[in-house]
């Protein structure tokens, strides 16, 4: 009797490439923003920040450089007003949101006559969704919900007008860049590296489980007790896949109970030469792609050391890299925030603001420059800050779309991430 042999290839779960979508056909009044699912963009971005060491270092480091040493005005009289009007910590959070998510927003509070802005606070942008537009070409309202994954909390969402669209006491100033293919939201500048950030996180997970459970061989599993029916075979494949594939299952061992030694399963180890070198290559490649996506000219700026530099000294590398990054990466972010604030404050009854960010310059650059010019570090820092000042250039803030307001008649205090916010009730 001719023996039969069936060979199956078990497919490991493969994540699809991220597809960014604004669901404009939704039955809801707001626009869901998805990447892998229906409305998971902000959750997915947060996850890539939390699991990837390189991505986290770049986001936090660049956000710190965007904020620098704070937001100030060159007009002394208005600077005193500014520090009370927009607390520094609020702008620091806005800078972080803008780098991490590509979107950020302020709560703007008006006086009773709606002619003067009284206060501006940061609000976590992941709690905000844009209202679906109707006949108007601009977004007129936003919805606030502390957790868009909780259907019960979604029922209690708050509708808030966009800045400049109402006479309410509270509006939302939404800050974002122009992004092709999107209207309601924008994308972070590093979005192309999302898959690499996930890969870096999975590599760390794989190594952790291998260390915890032993080592992970590549094997061929043979069952020698006959060929089961297709349904039974699929069930066996699903069980094996669930128990032994994926980084969470790395290094698990297998138990087999048999009536006959002749029909016991056999494991043929498939030797993969230089496996550690392959992991090293993947780790280095993912890190490099993440750095490229963030336009990091030198990883040293964020405490990341790589093998290849091309500079004769670290100080020379950092000085050149910082100059390029300040011009090509940091200044555009700062200008976006400054233009939005300049627009909002102008509409809010203020003038002669001359807003600027005080720059944060690495000490090694200041020290080297001071040594070369025979000046003190304080003098060099002052000159460097003046040379890199990035004042608002808001003539036409159309691309920034800071046109989003929020309404309010009555206020109630709501806590978000251990911070109290006044939200329209």
């Amino acid at each position: 009797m001719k023996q039969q042999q069936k060979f199956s290839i078990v497919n490991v779960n493969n994540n699809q490439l991220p597809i960014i979508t604004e669901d404009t056909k939704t039955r809801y009044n707001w626009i869901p923003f998805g990447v892998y699912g229906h409305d998971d963009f902000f959750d997915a971005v947060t996850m890539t920040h939390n699991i990837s060491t390189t991505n986290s270092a770049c986001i936090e480091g660049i956000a710190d450089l965007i904020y620098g040493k704070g937001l100030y005005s060159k007009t002394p009289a208005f600077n005193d007003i500014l520090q009370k009007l927009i607390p520094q910590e609020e702008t620091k959070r806005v800078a972080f949101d803008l780098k991490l998510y590509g979107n950020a927003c302020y709560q703007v509070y008006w006086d009773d006559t709606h002619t003067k802005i009284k206060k501006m606070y940061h609000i976590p942008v992941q709690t905000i969704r844009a209202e679906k537009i109707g006949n108007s070409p601009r977004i007129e309202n936003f919805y606030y919900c502390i957790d868009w994954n909780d259907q019960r909390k979604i029922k209690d969402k708050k509708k808030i007008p966009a800045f400049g669209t109402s006479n309410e006491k509270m509006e939302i100033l939404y800050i974002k860049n122009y992004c092709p293919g999107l209207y309601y939201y924008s994308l972070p500048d590093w979005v192309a590296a999302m898959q690499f950030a996930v890969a870096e996180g999975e590599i760390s997970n794989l190594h952790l489980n291998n260390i915890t459970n032993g080592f992970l061989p590549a094997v061929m599993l043979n069952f020698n007790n006959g060929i089961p029916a297709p349904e039974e075979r699929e069930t066996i494949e699903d069980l094996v896949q669930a128990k032994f594939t994926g980084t969470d299952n790395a290094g698990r061992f297998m138990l087999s109970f048999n009536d006959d030694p002749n029909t016991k399963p056999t494991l043929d180890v498939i030797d993969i030469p230089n496996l550690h070198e392959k992991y090293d290559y993947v780790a280095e490649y993912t890190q490099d792609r993440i750095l490229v996506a963030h336009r990091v000219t030198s990883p040293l700026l964020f405490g990341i050391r790589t093998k290849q530099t091309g500079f004769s000294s670290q100080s020379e590398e950092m000085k050149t890299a910082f100059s390029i990054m300040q011009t090509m990466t940091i200044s555009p972010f700062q200008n976006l925030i400054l233009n939005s604030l300049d627009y909002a404050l102008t509409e809010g009854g203020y003038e002669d603001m001359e807003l600027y960010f005080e720059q944060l310059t690495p000490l090694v650059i200041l020290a080297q420059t001071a040594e070369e010019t025979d000046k003190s570090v304080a003098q060099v820092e002052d000159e460097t800050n003046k040379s890199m000042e990035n004042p608002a250039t808001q003539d036409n803030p159309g691309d920034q779309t800071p046109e989003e307001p929020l309404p309010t008649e009555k206020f109630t205090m709501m806590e978000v991430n251990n911070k109290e916010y006044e939200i329209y009730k």
Side-chain angles (χ1 to χ4, degrees):
M1 180 178 177
K2 188 177 179 179
Q3 291 185 340
Q4 291 183 341
Q5 186 177 30
K6 294 288 186 179
F7 182 77
S8 298
I9 297 177
V10 180
N11 292 320
V12 182
N13 291 331
N14 292 313
N15 292 328
Q16 296 179 347
L17 290 174
I19 300 176
I20 312 297
T21 57
E22 293 178 337
D23 187 2
T24 57
K25 297 180 180 180
T26 178
R27 59 187 175 87
Y28 303 115
N29 293 329
W30 66 92
I31 300 296
F33 194 26
V35 55
Y36 295 109
H38 178 62
D39 190 21
D40 65 343
F41 174 82
F42 292 103
D43 290 339
V45 169
T46 302
M47 184 266 294
T48 58
H49 168 267
N50 292 342
I51 68 174
S52 170
T53 53
T54 305
N55 198 39
S56 176
C58 290
I59 290 171
E60 295 180 17
I62 292 176
D64 286 341
L65 290 176
I66 294 169
Y67 173 72
K69 294 184 178 180
L71 177 69
Y72 298 95
S73 169
K74 291 184 179 180
T75 306
F78 181 73
N79 189 60
D80 294 337
I81 297 173
L82 178 66
Q83 303 313 311
K84 298 177 181 179
L85 187 66
I86 312 176
Q88 293 286 3
E89 186 64 25
E90 306 302 318
T91 300
K92 186 174 183 179
R93 294 177 179 181
V94 165
F96 182 82
D97 277 359
L98 191 60
K99 174 58 186 174
L100 175 60
Y101 298 114
N103 302 263
C105 48
Y106 283 98
Q107 298 175 75
V108 181
Y109 291 92
W110 295 85
D111 62 9
D112 293 337
T113 61
H114 201 81
T115 57
K116 202 83 169 178
I117 292 176
K118 293 168 35 180
K119 208 80 173 179
M120 294 180 68
Y121 294 105
H122 158 266
I123 186 170
V125 73
Q126 66 270 27
T127 64
I128 300 295
R129 295 293 184 273
E131 183 184 49
K132 188 187 300 184
I133 61 172
N135 297 326
S136 173
R138 67 182 295 186
I139 301 168
E140 296 185 347
N141 294 286
F142 292 92
Y143 288 95
Y144 166 86
C145 178
I146 194 170
D147 185 2
W148 288 94
N149 295 316
D150 190 329
Q151 292 298 321
R152 291 173 297 180
K153 291 182 179 178
I154 290 178
K155 293 179 180 179
D156 298 327
K157 62 186 180 297
K158 307 272 188 276
K159 185 176 180 179
I160 309 173
F163 183 83
T165 64
S166 76
N167 290 318
E168 300 290 345
K169 291 185 179 180
M170 194 266 281
E171 299 176 329
I172 284 184
L173 176 67
Y174 201 95
I175 303 174
K176 66 183 180 72
N177 260 319
Y178 165 75
C179 189
L182 299 178
Y183 180 81
Y184 296 91
Y185 308 101
S186 185
L187 297 176
D189 60 337
W190 56 272
V191 67
M194 282 189 67
Q195 291 288 85
F196 292 106
V198 173
E200 189 174 66
E202 290 293 343
I203 289 173
S204 66
N205 194 35
L206 174 69
H207 289 319
L208 174 62
N209 283 284
N210 270 323
I211 292 171
T212 304
N213 299 322
F215 63 93
L216 175 65
V219 299
M220 170 79 75
L221 176 59
N222 301 291
F223 291 98
N224 302 313
N225 55 349
I227 300 174
E231 295 81 5
E232 185 180 353
R233 191 163 65 244
E234 290 180 5
T235 301
I236 295 172
E237 290 173 2
D238 291 341
L239 289 173
V240 172
Q241 180 179 350
K243 286 182 176 293
F244 299 104
T245 61
T247 56
D248 286 334
N249 297 320
R252 279 191 173 187
F253 64 89
M254 183 182 295
L255 288 176
S256 176
F257 302 94
N258 310 285
D259 293 327
D260 187 347
N262 295 323
T263 60
K264 68 180 180 180
T266 59
L267 293 175
D268 296 325
V269 177
I270 302 173
D271 184 28
I272 302 178
N274 303 321
L275 185 59
H276 66 285
E277 294 180 2
K278 292 181 173 62
Y279 283 132
D280 288 342
Y281 170 77
V282 173
E284 291 178 10
Y285 184 70
T286 56
Q287 183 184 73
D288 178 72
R289 295 299 90 188
I290 293 170
L291 293 173
V292 169
H294 285 283
R295 293 175 290 174
V296 174
T297 47
S298 172
L300 283 175
L301 292 171
F302 306 114
I304 303 172
R305 188 63 177 154
T306 55
K307 294 181 179 179
Q308 299 177 353
T309 61
F311 291 87
S312 58
S313 67
Q314 290 187 9
S315 59
E316 177 190 350
E317 177 182 351
M318 291 187 68
K319 188 174 182 180
T320 304
F322 181 74
S323 177
I324 297 172
M325 170 161 278
Q326 184 67 35
T327 303
M328 304 301 295
T329 304
I330 306 304
S331 291
F333 277 106
Q334 292 178 334
N335 191 258
L336 177 58
I337 297 174
L338 291 173
N339 285 351
S340 300
L341 289 176
D342 189 78
Y343 162 76
L345 294 174
T346 300
E347 295 293 314
Y350 298 95
E351 56 185 20
D352 298 327
M353 293 164 288
E354 296 189 84
L355 303 177
Y356 72 95
F357 280 102
E358 186 171 339
Q359 307 299 331
L360 179 64
T361 308
L363 181 59
V364 64
I365 297 177
L366 297 176
Q368 182 186 14
T369 306
E371 183 179 352
E372 293 172 351
T373 58
D374 293 326
K375 296 179 180 179
S376 67
V377 172
Q379 288 176 315
V380 171
E381 183 177 21
D382 184 59
E383 293 175 359
T384 303
N385 284 335
K386 289 182 179 179
S387 67
M388 294 194 303
E389 276 180 4
N390 190 26
T393 58
Q394 185 265 139
D395 293 322
N396 179 12
D399 283 350
Q400 281 92 32
T401 44
E403 312 150 7
E404 281 74 289
L406 307 182
T408 128
E409 289 263 329
K410 299 179 181 179
F411 301 106
T412 183
M413 298 304 295
M414 182 169 293
E415 187 172 321
V416 180
N417 295 336
N418 298 324
K419 189 177 190 318
E420 287 185 336
Y421 292 92
E422 290 185 272
I423 298 296
Y424 171 72
K425 185 174 183 181

